[in-house]
Amino acid sequence: MNKFLLALVAFGCVASMSHAEDGASGWTGEGSLSAGFTTGNTETKDLGLGLKLNKEAGVWTYGLEAAADYGEIDGLESKNRLFAGLNVDRAINDKLFGFGRVSHERDEFTGFESRSFVGGGLGYHIYDGDKVKWTVRGGPGLKIDEVRAYDTVDVNNLPVTVPAETVNSFGAVAGSEYSYTFNDNVSFSNTTGVLYAKESTQLTNSAALTAALTSKISARVSFDVRHDTDPPIGFESTDTATRVSLVYAF
């Protein structure tokens, strides 16, 4: 699955760039590449690939998102995350819409082998102007958590290995997508997501400032926060990432 998702991101980025000019597919979106490298007391390397695709067909809107992040500190792997998600929206009127969502995530540096969600609900376009766009959505679904095995101690202070398990539970998804266009070249966006489940609730937020360099290429600075309300023992609850990216729009 890891190799499949990574291939999906890479293929999507290449395919979108190669077909951007003719627009024959009807898909629009962006591909992004972020990289970082520091030297000194520690050496760190970070690489990120991202793909977002959208297609409108009458009252239907299809949205695909995929991402891959990899990092090393002093030659040791410190980040390895793959994500893919699909939204299908169906307009009810100018403001209100229904949606279905499927997502899957694998992250080598959390207490979860994988996390998946299948669900749907309703969304609402609060603002849809030239400068300000703001959409919210939410609804129920099924969340599937593959929890890793981990080592701990029992009441007698003896080492115990807690086996891996699969937890299926009622879940709910909620999201907010906000953007503000300052002018033709500079824009700000803030995307917030909540994925609730009994095992653990995930909260994410990504704030980004994007500046156009050419008609197709932009530079982006973003700050991401990811929080788990109840991570397994030995894992941090909050991760943050500051990124500088090149973005190709089509």
Side-chain angles (χ1 to χ4, degrees), residues 222-233:
S222 61
F223 181 71
D224 301 340
V225 179
R226 294 165 49 80
H227 178 76
D228 271 313
T229 59
D230 189 21
I233 294 173

Side-chain angles (χ1 to χ4, degrees), residues 33-49:
L33 169 65
S34 62
F37 181 73
T38 62
T39 61
N41 294 317
T42 61
E43 291 188 357
T44 64
K45 300 176 183 178
D46 288 278
L47 177 67
L49 294 171

Side-chain angles (χ1 to χ4, degrees), residues 55-232:
K55 182 176 182 178
E56 295 185 6
V59 297
W60 296 94
T61 301
Y62 306 92
L64 172 67
E65 180 180 1
D69 297 302
Y70 180 81
E72 291 184 356
I73 297 178
D74 291 337
L76 299 177
E77 187 178 80
S78 60
K79 183 186 301 181
N80 189 339
R81 175 180 177 265
L82 295 165
F83 172 84
L86 173 67
N87 279 323
V88 179
D89 299 346
R90 204 281 186 187
I92 298 174
N93 56 42
D94 290 344
K95 294 284 190 179
L96 186 67
F97 63 92
F99 75 91
R101 177 170 177 81
V102 178
S103 66
H104 181 78
E105 177 186 19
R106 300 183 70 88
D107 192 335
E108 297 296 326
F109 291 89
T110 68
F112 299 90
E113 189 72 31
S114 67
R115 288 177 283 198
S116 303
F117 178 83
V118 179
L122 293 174
Y124 191 78
H125 300 296
I126 299 175
Y127 294 108
D128 191 16
D130 293 335
K131 282 187 171 293
V132 179
K133 296 182 184 297
W134 188 14
T135 298
V136 295
R137 65 178 72 214
L142 172 67
K143 192 166 186 286
I144 305 169
D145 292 311
E146 299 280 353
V147 185
R148 297 181 189 275
Y150 61 93
D151 296 326
T152 184
V153 294
D154 62 15
V155 293
N156 297 315
N157 206 34
L158 297 174
V160 174
T161 298
V162 178
E165 63 174 330
T166 300
V167 180
N168 299 327
S169 61
F170 168 81
V173 64
S176 168
E177 301 169 10
Y178 175 87
S179 65
Y180 183 86
T181 301
F182 294 98
N183 52 50
D184 292 340
N185 297 317
V186 181
S187 63
F188 170 80
S189 64
N190 192 87
T191 302
T192 303
V194 178
L195 189 54
Y196 165 82
K198 180 180 179 181
E199 179 66 31
S200 181
T201 297
Q202 298 167 256
L203 299 96
T204 62
N205 193 83
S206 179
L209 187 65
T210 304
L213 302 178
T214 70
S215 60
K216 295 291 186 181
I217 299 176
S218 301
R220 175 175 295 160
V221 177
S222 61
F223 181 71
D224 301 340
V225 179
R226 294 165 49 80
H227 178 76
D228 271 313
T229 59
D230 189 21

